[in-house]
Amino acid sequence: MAIGRIGVSFIIFVVISLRYIHCAFIPKDEYLIDCGSLTNTTIGSRVFVADVSLSSTLTTASNNLVSNSQNSVPSSYGSALFRTARVFTSPSSYSFPIQVHGRHFIRLYFFPFVNGSSNLAAAIFGVSAQDVVLLDNFQPQAESATVKEFSLNITRDTLVLKFVPSGSTSLAFVNAIEVVSIPDNLIRNTAQIVNPRQKYEGLSGQLLETIYRINMGGPLVLPNNDTLWRTWETDEIYLHKSNISQVTPTYTGAIKYVKGGATQETAPNVVYATARRLAFVNMASPRLNLTWWFNVDANSKYLIRFHFCDTVSEAAGKLLFNVYINTLSADKNFNLFNLANGSLATALFMDYVLEAKDVSANLSISIGTSDSLNALPDAILNGLEILKIDGFASVVESTGSKKNFGILLGSILGAVAVVIMVVIVLSLVLRKKKVAKHDWKTWAPFSIDGLTSRSTGSRTSNETAFTIAQKGILGYRIPFSMLQEATNNFDENMVIGVGGFGKVYKGVLRDETQVAVKRGNPTSQQGLNEFRTEIELLSRLRHRHLVSLIGYCDEKNEMILVYEYMEKGTLRTHLYGSGLPSLSWKQRLEICIGSARGLHHLHTGQAKAIIHRDIKSANILLDENLLAKVADFGLSKTGPELDQTHISTAVKGSFGYLDPEYFRRQQLTEKSDVYSFGVVLHEVLCARPVIDPTLPRKMVNLAEWGIKWLKRGELEQLVDPGIAGSIRPESLRKFGETIMKCLADSGVECPSMGDVLWNLEYALQLQEFDSSVSAINSTNRISELSPLVQSINASQGITSGEVDALSLNDHSNVSMDNVFSQLINSEGR
Ligand SMILES: *[C@@H]1O[C@H](CO)[C@@H](O)[C@H](O)[C@H]1NC(C)=O
Ligand SMILES: *[C@@H]1O[C@H](CO)[C@@H](O)[C@H](O)[C@H]1NC(C)=O
């Protein structure tokens, strides 16, 4: 009892305190910079530090520091920041040490004024952060102040903000910069896709640019009144027909926060306390929609966040309404009361993703009366954020139920709530101290590379090396210029592969990371689809045995994919035709196991299976340690819906590897990959091309020819003579068996990739087992082989599970612990 009471009073204490302290979240990283200024500038309670005071090496500033004495300054928030600017005539960057990885706001202030020879209105430039393009060919609007806000998950210890003038005669400039950490839970990983209704995943790694942030029916909220120093505009100018709406009276009670709902940082209280509502409510009025219009960029996808708080209902549960985005239904009979666990005046939000295909230059947001008989003709909206999503993320299974919403919110926020409470309490304690330390914090060391290097005349240190995330954030845009540099302007000598899609170049980035740069042929439409498929799939798939995508470039109609560099090239070149030393049996088995694991992950690692469709030895790549990774996802398709067993599609893939069943029926299942993988296993065993027209007719097609020998149990006819002597017969037998299962006549008999993996692991165990004990010579092994193979021949027709059981019994002398621990270890990554 006593503990309970303490708990309750603790919560009340926090809630009450928050109502009076509007900036409860204390960012770990907080850089506020007034660029080009000689003195610090105070805006409300925030001090923007003059950038000249930050670098002792800054000697000649006259070129770069421009003041705006003649021009009037726009009377917006932070207008004092627009009196000076830092101007760059060559690529230059600011570096900020980052104390906590995670989401940060990056705000860039621009006001293009004219002062003497510097006409900032003519500036066109790009800005990048980490490896991400924030602004590309950006020209700030003349005579107006612009603040661009981005939120980026920073995964490095240093954030390099780079300004690059577009073209040699152009300028870049900036008036002020903020780099501030924000709570990671502000952006959740998942959201609801509007069309088709599916779950969107991968938001937490993505770059977001704030396009609109609106306080519906409420006042303008300036950064000083926001919990995270954001600006919330008023909504009148976006409202379509204001005469069908009314502004709700500002709610004066306490806004409630529930598990799974908004937090204090999601939006300031005033956003939830004010709202726009349909007029004529509670009357027998016609069904109506209340609509706002926004101009957006048609080629992007957006995260749209609705803020709701039912401050209007008298009785609970009557406020039901519909929500539309671009006339697509986002939610029907939206029920705030349920989301708020049955209480009114609770801060809630909903996230939707509108895919680029559904976006046009005018974006409409509507709330409208529900058809439900229980509902009053009423609808409200408290706030709205429209954030542009950069980079690609993923689509997972259809969901479509609001229950998920609650569970999702609950599980994420539940964990975070505790942390936030601790932070809040700490913040109350530390607040006084923090104010004293504020100055020190904001001018924590950072450098202005462009300027320091210019004064020393060094060109090379002028260029900030971009480092590419090998892990973590993915699917980011990489500037074309960087790829030109990395590949020596797409030098033919750097070509390491040519395919249907285009050429693959080896590249070296500035931080000396080696990459493979696949440059698509821009004329092919099929190329464009494959390009997108590959980015979308690879940015959501991370696996040790799948080739990682580092980034992409779609500047100037380019279709370039940048992958991790695979030193040893394709499996194919190690098998035949290249004169490379032949791989040992163990190496071959390990490569097969690695690629099987990659494929197994493709098939089972996501809610919906992904079918590769183009498995072949040329799409299995090897790194410097011969670790195998599956590559080339351009043809991949997401697997069938749960209620279907296959998807119908035009036949694609590579001749010689195609599953005949897929070919005949044009139906795609995971089993088509298993078949192709069986052909690869065959290739590995025989070390010959799958189609070799120079051979006698019967032997041209490896799969057809090989299966005959396999069925007869005469594997020795097939084995690569280069290694035949070193293969233990049990291992070979198991391998042959695995091939036969993969190439089974019908998909139903064909094993899953998991089974294949298991069998290959077992083949490896059999190869390694007691290799130290026995010194069987090669002739012995081959002669032992046939009878063993014959015995499985006799057992044909039983299911794959039984075969497993049988073959285990056959080898009862093998330590099962050994086999299983190997399996467990290899899976327990
Ligand atoms: C913003 O804060 C100031 C005091 O800092 C207060 O007077 C004003 O009413 C607040 N505005 C809003 C919209 O909350
Ligand atoms: C509201 O807008 C949606 C989407 O445009 C439309 O389907 C619906 O009929 C509209 N409802 C009313 C009452 O106009």
Side-chain angles (χ1 to χ4, degrees), residues 94-398:
Y94 289 85
S95 307
F96 301 95
I98 296 298
Q99 292 182 38
V100 271
H101 290 188
R103 265 202 191 266
H104 288 65
F105 273 140
I106 299 172
R107 296 193 182 101
L108 304 173
Y109 292 66
F110 301 105
F111 176 56
F113 53 77
V114 182
N115 186 2
S117 60
S118 303
N119 178 6
L120 301 189
I124 304 182
F125 54 96
V127 183
S128 60
Q130 204 153 264
D131 322 307
V132 188
V133 178
L134 301 182
L135 295 168
D136 195 17
N137 281 321
F138 175 64
Q139 183 164 28
Q141 202 187 341
E143 291 169 28
S144 69
T146 310
V147 180
K148 290 274 181 190
E149 182 186 275
F150 301 90
S151 98
L152 175 67
N153 188 359
I154 299 182
T155 54
R156 309 273 169 73
D157 296 336
T158 305
L159 173 73
V160 178
L161 257 189
K162 185 167 188 184
F163 293 81
V164 184
S166 306
S168 53
T169 56
S170 187
L171 300 171
F173 76 93
V174 62
N175 301 82
I177 300 173
E178 290 182 34
V179 175
V180 186
S181 30
I182 56 178
D184 279 331
N185 69 323
L186 189 69
I187 301 298
R188 294 178 176 149
N189 194 43
T190 54
Q192 176 79 58
I193 297 175
V194 178
N195 177 32
R197 234 183 127 75
Q198 280 180 331
K199 188 160 120 194
Y200 184 91
E201 263 193 325
L203 268 177
S204 52
Q206 291 189 305
L207 170 69
L208 300 172
E209 179 184 351
T210 310
I211 308 296
Y212 293 99
R213 182 176 286 132
I214 318 273
N215 180 15
M216 261 64 193
L220 170 70
V221 181
L222 290 176
N224 280 338
N225 288 78
D226 181 76
T227 45
L228 298 173
W229 308 99
R230 291 162 294 200
T231 302
W232 299 76
E233 291 181 80
T234 57
D235 71 331
E236 286 90 359
I237 61 167
Y238 305 106
L239 199 56
H240 178 48
K241 272 191 207 153
S242 57
N243 61 347
I244 61 162
S245 82
Q246 59 173 322
V247 170
T248 64
T250 304
Y251 185 72
T252 52
I255 302 290
K256 295 192 205 70
Y257 293 88
V258 292
K259 200 175 152 191
T263 68
Q264 307 281 348
E265 282 81 36
T266 310
N269 254 323
V270 61
V271 169
Y272 291 115
T274 56
R276 185 154 315 255
R277 183 186 193 187
L278 271 179
F280 325 115
V281 294
N282 303 335
M283 286 187 267
S285 62
R287 307 234 169 256
L288 288 174
N289 283 336
L290 183 51
T291 301
W292 294 260
W293 286 99
F294 300 94
N295 289 329
V296 294
D297 168 7
N299 295 316
S300 300
K301 70 178 160 197
Y302 290 88
L303 171 64
I304 302 175
R305 175 171 287 187
F306 290 74
H307 296 272
F308 295 109
C309 182
D310 183 356
T311 56
V312 300
S313 291
E314 273 139 39
K318 289 286 185 192
L319 183 56
L320 291 182
F321 55 93
N322 297 335
V323 178
Y324 305 94
I325 297 174
N326 261 1
T327 72
L328 297 163
S329 172
D331 253 303
K332 262 199 138 68
N333 297 327
F334 192 72
N335 187 335
L336 293 179
F337 186 69
N338 283 354
L339 288 179
N341 292 336
S343 60
L344 297 171
T346 301
L348 299 167
F349 69 94
M350 282 295 283
D351 283 342
Y352 300 96
V353 168
L354 189 64
E355 296 281 9
K357 66 178 168 49
D358 295 318
V359 177
S360 54
N362 290 312
L363 177 73
S364 75
I365 301 290
S366 306
I367 51 173
T369 43
S370 155
D371 304 325
S372 162
L373 293 175
N374 294 332
L376 296 170
D378 199 351
I380 63 163
L381 183 58
N382 300 67
L384 183 76
E385 289 174 90
I386 301 180
L387 310 171
K388 186 158 147 181
I389 302 176
D390 190 19
F392 289 79
S394 51
V395 171
V396 183
E397 93 220 67
S398 317

Side-chain angles (χ1 to χ4, degrees), residues 10-11 13-19 21 23-26 263-265 416-431:
F10 168 77
I11 290 166
F13 163 73
V14 170
V15 170
I16 290 175
S17 309
L18 281 168
R19 294 187 55 210
I21 295 168
C23 193
F25 173 76
I26 296 193
T263 68
Q264 307 281 348
E265 282 81 36
V416 172
V418 177
V419 177
I420 291 177
M421 287 235 172
V422 172
V423 170
I424 288 165
V425 171
L426 280 180
S427 76
L428 298 178
V429 175
L430 294 178
R431 188 157 175 81

Side-chain angles (χ1 to χ4, degrees), residues 724-739:
S726 63
I727 308 179
R728 285 183 59 83
E730 301 85 354
S731 173
L732 181 57
R733 200 197 68 166
K734 190 79 203 156
F735 194 81
E737 226 179 85
T738 313
I739 297 180

